[in-house]
């Protein structure tokens, strides 16, 4: 319980210092997760393309 209370106090303090609302923090976190997912998808796609090209060259 103390851990959650401490986390809430830290988050509240960061929101006050930065001037951001909880909604803007949530939106920023969502955008960061979308960007990471997009990057991971691009990396996987590039890796698959390279693997397929390597297989086609061996044939």
């Amino acid at each position: 319980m103390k851990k959650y209370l401490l986390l809430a106090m830290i988050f509240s303090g960061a929101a006050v210092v930065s001037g951001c609302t909880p909604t803007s923090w949530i939106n920023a976190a969502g955008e960061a997760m979308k960007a990471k997912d997009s990057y991971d998808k691009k990396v996987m796609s590039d890796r698959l393309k390279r693997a397929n090209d390597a297989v086609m060259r061996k044939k």
Side-chain angles (χ1 to χ4, degrees), residues 25-44:
W25 277 94
I26 292 169
N27 288 339
E31 292 298 320
M33 287 187 284
K34 283 181 192 176
K36 184 182 180 327
D37 289 344
S38 177
Y39 174 77
D40 289 345
K41 185 177 179 180
K42 181 183 179 301
V43 168
M44 180 63 79

Side-chain angles (χ1 to χ4, degrees), residues 8-53:
M9 287 172 45
I10 290 171
F11 181 73
S12 298
V16 168
V17 170
S18 69
C20 295
T21 63
T23 303
S24 58
W25 277 94
I26 292 169
N27 288 339
E31 292 298 320
M33 287 187 284
K34 283 181 192 176
K36 184 182 180 327
D37 289 344
S38 177
Y39 174 77
D40 289 345
K41 185 177 179 180
K42 181 183 179 301
V43 168
M44 180 63 79
S45 177
D46 291 345
R47 187 178 298 155
L48 286 172
K49 284 179 186 176
R50 286 194 312 260
N52 286 338
D53 289 343

